[in-house]
Amino acid sequence: YEMLRVTGVQTCALPISTVLTGVTSITFNETLDSAQTENNDLTVRSAATVFNDRVGKSSPFDELILSDATGGATGTSTVNTDEVHAATINADHPVLIDSSTTLTGTTQVDFASTVNSVNGDNRNLTIDSPDTLFHGDVGALENIGVLITDAAGTTTIDTAAVSVSTSATFNDAVVIAVTAGAGGTTTISGPTVTFNNTLDSEAGEANHLTVNAVTTSFNGSIGDATGATEFGTITTDFTAGDVTTFDTGVLNAANVDLNDPVIIGQNIVITATADIDFAMTVNSSTGEKSNLVIVSPSTRFNGTVGVTDSLGLLDTDAVGTTFINTDTVTTVISDFRDAVVIETDTTINGETS
């Protein structure tokens, strides 16, 4: 078809696996389902595909594939509905979110290209799937409002940028796997960015992650403790009012560059093969007196430590040097086992030092 529009009916139920091709556009204005109990496949090929009502809500598709008229990556698919259901959702060309929506893929949701909100809308996107993959930038042209992934499975971020206008919450495990290969960089930007599960680089790639957020929360281990999935560099930015909270026990990277204030929510070991740099303050969560153990050949404290809420144990390993470029360090116990360089007038307070 040059242009196909499905409208004016209560629902469209496809009795067999189907390929629909529209050179110019394909628009679904009513609900779209597989025939009951059949879980058929649907491939939609068009320069401009639009879903204006629920897809697969009553009877999900097995595989939903979206592409341009030739099966390629040009054109767009616009999701203007609150629910899309299939076992596998493969978007081979750019996706536009025109209504806050939940995409449910019981096997996989795979974005081969970009994902953006429709201009000026900042729509929300929730993904429920055990295997979510982003291969194109998210929100780079028009931010997603709220981005949420469910707690089961893994989200793989194989792109340079994820940008939201309100918050990004990753409830499942996250793997940073930039296609540039080893040492690729992903930047996640938004007012609030939360990782509620493990966070790793693709094994053997040592990719870099930068988080630009007012409130950043790491609630799962970062980089495998064996070093197989450690990051190249973990970086947080600094804007007045920013804070990063580590409520996890493990962080592994070659370089750790924390430019905003840090709160230690539980006992943590931070391991860096090159450098750890705290540009701002470091404190425990209120009343916790959490321990901070550092394993690194070079550690720098450029802001006060434990002034607002004292650390329990501050421990540095025996190899390398710790640079103290701040006026106050307050802990229950400070155990500096490496060389220490005092770069400014400093008072170190503790029950044991």
Side-chain angles (χ1 to χ4, degrees), residues 124-298:
N124 303 335
L125 174 60
T126 299
I127 301 174
D128 290 338
S129 180
D131 186 18
T132 301
L133 301 101
F134 294 103
H135 297 291
D137 288 348
V138 179
L141 297 179
E142 190 69 39
N143 289 175
I144 300 297
V146 175
L147 174 64
I148 300 173
T149 65
D150 67 333
T154 303
T155 291
T156 300
I157 300 176
D158 183 19
T159 186
V162 176
S163 301
V164 298
S165 62
T166 301
S167 64
T169 302
F170 300 96
N171 291 309
D172 53 359
V174 172
V175 175
I176 305 298
V178 186
T179 53
T185 299
T186 294
T187 300
I188 301 178
S189 303
T192 301
V193 176
T194 302
F195 301 94
N196 281 327
N197 211 309
T198 59
L199 173 62
D200 293 286
S201 171
E202 183 74 21
E205 291 190 358
N207 294 311
H208 310 307
L209 174 64
T210 297
V211 182
N212 294 330
V214 177
T215 303
T216 303
S217 299
F218 296 99
N219 298 322
S221 62
I222 305 165
D224 185 271
T226 66
T229 62
E230 75 170 13
F231 284 90
T233 300
I234 291 282
T235 303
T236 62
D237 71 332
F238 173 68
T239 302
D242 287 4
V243 65
T244 292
T245 299
F246 291 98
D247 196 4
T248 180
V250 175
L251 192 166
N252 288 289
N255 297 278
V256 179
D257 190 8
L258 304 174
N259 292 304
D260 49 4
V262 169
I263 295 176
I264 307 299
Q266 62 172 280
N267 299 340
I268 186 172
V269 178
I270 301 179
T271 302
T273 56
D275 181 75
I276 299 174
D277 190 345
F278 297 94
M280 302 292 290
T281 60
V282 181
N283 287 283
S284 181
S285 292
T286 303
E288 293 294 329
K289 296 189 185 302
S290 299
N291 300 337
L292 173 59
V293 176
I294 293 175
V295 180
S296 175
S298 177

